[in-house]
Amino acid sequence: MPAADTCFHCALPLNGGDELTVLVDGVPRPMCCVGCQAVTSAIVDGGLEKFYQYRSANSATNTDSDNNDFSAYDLPEVQADLISVDEQGLASIELSISGISCAACAWLIEHHLQKLPGVSRATVNVSRQRCRIQWQQEQLALSQILSAFIAIGYRAHPAKESHKLEHIERDQKRYLLRLGVAGIGMMQTGMLAIALYAGAFQGMDEHWQHLLRWVSLLVATPVVLYAAQPFFKGAWRSLVNLNDDMPWHLHLSMDVPVALAIGLAYGASAWGTVAARGEVYFDAVSMLTFFLLLGRFLEMRVRYRNELVAGQVGDLIPLSAQRYAKTGAGTVLEQVPVKSLRIGDIIQVAEGECLAVDGLVVAGHSPVVEAVLSGEQDPVAKGPGDSVSAGTVNTTNPLKIQVSAVGQGTRLAAIVDMLDGVAAEKPQQLALADRLAAGFIGFVLLLAIAVFSLWWLHDADRALWVTLSVLVVTCPCALSLATPVVLAAATGRLQRQGFLVRSAHVLETLSKVTRVVLDKTGTLTTGKLEIDSVVLAADTAALDTAAALDIAAALEQGCRHPIASAFTQRQSQLKWQAEQLKYQLGGGVSGVINGQRYALGKPAFIAQCFALQVPPALLQQPILASQTVQPKHRLEVILASEQAVLARIVLVDELRPGARELVASLQAQGLALELLSGDQEKNTAALARDLGIEQWQANNSPEDKLATIRARQKAGDIVLMVGDGINDVPVLSGADISVAMAEATDFTRMACDAVLLSGNLCTLLDTLVVARKTARVIRQNVAWALLYNLSALPLAAMGWVPPWAAAIGMSASSLVVVLNALRLQRSNKGPGDKLDNTDRQWQDSAVASVQTGA
């Protein structure tokens, strides 16, 4: 609650002048000015007095913690990227402020900050919710400035907007301004054209007709010179290359006929106005420019939406973290810049905070929202031994985390890099559309010359206008937009669902898939294996269960296969280390422990290493019912030494969410489904039987899986392979399209065409539906564009389509293409579609989770 000598509304000191008060909750409250008195009166009159209770409560509970958080911004390493200092020694920074709603908010913030010692200037931009401050650092710390916002009910943090986001925002504002100029010009010239057309029938005096033409020229000039500038620049770039020894080159883009049409129509109309003869089509010029800009703006919004999602992720990452440091008095928490963290450091992440690094949970249990990675809003429980990623949000309890990756080494950074990489590739569909459009443009330009020549001989006065109609009505804007806008919309939607596209051909190939091949462990199951039981061999009386598990844990130490995860907890307590480790993909691992060589893996691998046969009695010995966890699925490995087979270790794994739905839906769609596993036959058969998979193979090596894929492809199948392990890399690379699970190794993910970030396999079903819809929408768009161009061309060449009608027709065809593509961003369920409501703004939800600490 504000002190008695401060304004009740804004908490600024009273000016000592007139005593201004407002009755709030029956108590007269002092006001510093008439403005605060008016605002407070409006709040009270609206029955919103509780606003002040919530404001006071929030201030009381948050001030201390905020001061502690803001202290990190005083570190020189952090300020180096945020603050600039001018020649006079004044520091400046741009802050992002949440909660600004009107000019009164800006006034309050500016006046409050300017009363702080050392602040020379504070300006607030309400529309961008930004505040730029200049101050003397010697008199005022940055943390004190940030704390000053809390005192008046706002929260500020340094704006870390990347150059990419600034570029996107700048482009969108510029396009909106151009669109506004063209829209105003279109309306004004349209009204003037109606007057001119009506006047021609009604016998309007030539003086007034001439005046209306001059007004139309004045209105259309900024439309052509400013709003239509992108078309002229694009046409110039497609014809001229200033960086080449031969600056003139022929690379026709759709901007060439558009620029010709706009330039010639404006020039001819301007000449007709000055010479007071002929027709003028300023309305058609403005209309053409407006609708073309509108189509491009919508297409740009689709493309930039994907970039914004990737760019805004960086705003989630905090600049500092709390690191445990050893001092003479013991271990203490210190606030350090994230860039100074190293692998192996131990940090603490408080509830409601966003993780700045990748790491392993050392202590604590708390649900973590991983929407920024997987698109799933439901928190995932995390505890000791679990991995966490940068950009995710800790929701409930503090977590102690050991850093495993920082900065560009994090999983989040890798995902953003993948997005940038796929954005730079050009799919075959897009390349084909570009070639088709370029050829069509050349045809249109040659046809325009022919039409002009014929009409010049037939009716010279109409030759130019008929030619302009041909150029406008046949401009292949819709054909050029038919594919890229669809691919951009589909890729963005899949990204928000938790399916990351890495290769340009993914959507095209997914729509043609006829066979889906699945791995078992880590794909249909979670890959989070647990030790269920240990069956010791009959002749190993000197070896107990604990010793067998310790040997297995030592052999698996450092391996990233799902089997190794079952021994993670034991590895921290081992008294010895394995040496001379040798891994065989799809087989097992061998190594030396205390001078003795051991092997862990399949029976065939054991026989290969030591020429030992696993006793049938050991393999067939039943597991006690109490030991088997249902409905989990088993996986078994054999432990042996050079002298004898030692034990059979039974591991269990849970089905991955959506596995049953995936299998049932793929079979219902008529797709061939096959399970290829390196596991033993009885375990693979049990899983296949449980899920209803009829085609399956067990004991497959990577070579066996690849041979199966090759055989299926030779038979005419388009194969989609889903896997997660390093041993799956050869078969993943050999499939027509490959998808890696999010938990896969970096090498596996890099070898795949796409990554399934969501842990739910139903996302794969949604992806197949979106891919088919994408192919269907592309076909619709191309068919519509070709049909329109081929139908309108003869009508325009015969002089039946005036320039204004040609402008409407061409613009409408482009808008139809863009709006048809935007349907892909909707997630409403249709017949045969199994789509969740995944088009929500998960990025906004993640940010909201950070702000609310939910």
Side-chain angles (χ1 to χ4, degrees), residues 291-311:
F291 283 112
L292 278 175
L293 285 173
L294 180 59
R296 287 206 178 179
F297 179 72
L298 293 176
E299 186 260 342
M300 181 180 68
R301 292 272 295 182
V302 174
R303 289 188 291 106
Y304 282 173
R305 185 179 182 183
N306 301 339
E307 296 184 38
L308 283 168
V309 168

Side-chain angles (χ1 to χ4, degrees), residues 515-525 656 658-664 666-667 672-678 684 687 691 693 695-697 700 705 709 719-724 728 731-732 739 741 756 761 764 768:
R515 177 177 292 270
V516 179
V517 177
L518 301 169
D519 180 40
K520 175 179 172 284
T521 305
T523 302
L524 286 174
T525 62
R656 186 178 290 274
R660 297 185 190 279
E661 293 85 349
L662 174 68
V663 171
L666 291 177
Q667 292 174 338
L673 185 62
E674 192 167 4
L675 171 62
L676 300 182
S677 175
T684 305
L687 179 64
L691 294 177
I693 300 176
Q695 280 188 291
W696 57 271
Q697 296 182 31
N700 269 197
K705 294 181 180 180
I709 292 292
V719 180
L720 163 64
M721 172 69 190
V722 186
D724 75 308
D728 293 325
V731 65
L732 287 168
V739 177
M741 306 303 294
L756 185 61
L761 287 173
L764 192 59
L768 290 170

Side-chain angles (χ1 to χ4, degrees), residues 626-702:
S626 60
Q627 291 177 291
T628 304
V629 183
Q630 296 294 343
K632 298 187 177 182
H633 290 269
R634 296 194 308 175
L635 185 150
E636 301 176 4
V637 290
I638 303 298
L639 176 67
S641 66
E642 293 178 292
Q643 291 77 29
V645 174
L646 302 177
R648 167 178 146 215
I649 301 176
V650 180
L651 309 175
V652 291
D653 195 2
E654 290 183 344
L655 276 180
R656 186 178 290 274
R660 297 185 190 279
E661 293 85 349
L662 174 68
V663 171
S665 180
L666 291 177
Q667 292 174 338
Q669 294 175 32
L671 295 177
L673 185 62
E674 192 167 4
L675 171 62
L676 300 182
S677 175
D679 196 6
Q680 299 176 41
E681 183 173 341
K682 61 180 179 180
N683 298 328
T684 305
L687 179 64
R689 186 169 53 251
D690 184 22
L691 294 177
I693 300 176
E694 297 179 359
Q695 280 188 291
W696 57 271
Q697 296 182 31
N699 293 313
N700 269 197
S701 66

Side-chain angles (χ1 to χ4, degrees), residues 105-315:
C105 298
W107 179 90
L108 173 61
I109 292 171
E110 290 174 353
H111 281 70
H112 182 69
L113 293 178
Q114 287 171 356
K115 292 179 179 294
L116 298 176
V119 175
S120 61
R121 186 181 182 188
T123 57
V124 175
N125 186 316
V126 177
S127 61
R128 296 182 65 233
Q129 294 197 336
R130 294 296 174 89
C131 177
R132 177 164 288 276
I133 303 174
Q134 289 183 323
W135 83 102
Q136 294 286 350
Q137 288 183 282
E138 299 80 6
Q139 300 182 39
L140 191 66
L142 178 57
S143 60
Q144 293 175 294
I145 294 176
L146 297 176
S147 298
F149 283 89
I150 299 295
I152 54 175
Y154 299 94
R155 186 175 183 87
H157 59 85
K160 297 182 294 179
E161 195 172 61
S162 67
H163 294 299
K164 179 187 290 186
L165 298 188
E166 291 175 353
H167 157 70
I168 290 173
E169 183 177 322
R170 186 169 57 251
D171 277 359
Q172 289 186 337
K173 286 184 176 179
R174 188 181 294 122
Y175 251 87
L176 280 174
L177 183 57
R178 295 185 194 280
L179 198 58
V181 171
I184 294 174
M186 178 185 68
M187 291 185 289
Q188 297 302 320
T189 55
M191 290 189 294
L192 293 169
I194 291 174
L196 282 172
Y197 295 147
F201 287 106
Q202 298 292 332
M204 179 185 294
D205 187 88
E206 290 186 4
H207 168 75
W208 290 109
Q209 291 188 22
H210 197 52
L211 177 62
L212 291 177
R213 289 188 174 196
W214 273 101
V215 175
S216 298
L217 173 62
L218 292 176
V219 173
T221 297
V223 174
V224 174
L225 298 184
Y226 175 72
Q229 196 176 86
F231 307 117
F232 293 109
K233 286 184 176 180
W236 181 257
R237 282 195 300 266
S238 70
L239 298 175
V240 179
N241 182 9
L242 299 179
N243 296 323
D244 201 338
D245 295 335
M246 298 179 62
W248 291 96
H249 67 100
L250 190 62
H251 176 71
L252 298 176
S253 69
M254 67 177 182
D255 287 328
V256 174
V258 169
L260 278 174
I262 293 176
L264 290 176
Y266 174 77
S269 298
W271 170 253
T273 300
V274 173
R277 52 180 293 185
E279 299 291 333
V280 295
Y281 287 100
F282 294 116
D283 55 329
V285 171
S286 301
M287 189 183 306
L288 174 62
T289 303
F290 174 78
F291 283 112
L292 278 175
L293 285 173
L294 180 59
R296 287 206 178 179
F297 179 72
L298 293 176
E299 186 260 342
M300 181 180 68
R301 292 272 295 182
V302 174
R303 289 188 291 106
Y304 282 173
R305 185 179 182 183
N306 301 339
E307 296 184 38
L308 283 168
V309 168
Q312 289 173 348
V313 165
D315 285 341

Side-chain angles (χ1 to χ4, degrees), residues 161 177 326 388 497 533 535 553 573 597 669 756 780 784:
E161 195 172 61
L177 183 57
K326 293 182 179 180
V388 289
Q497 289 181 189
S533 61
V535 181
Q573 305 168 2
R597 178 166 289 278
Q669 294 175 32
L756 185 61
Q780 292 171 353
W784 161 255

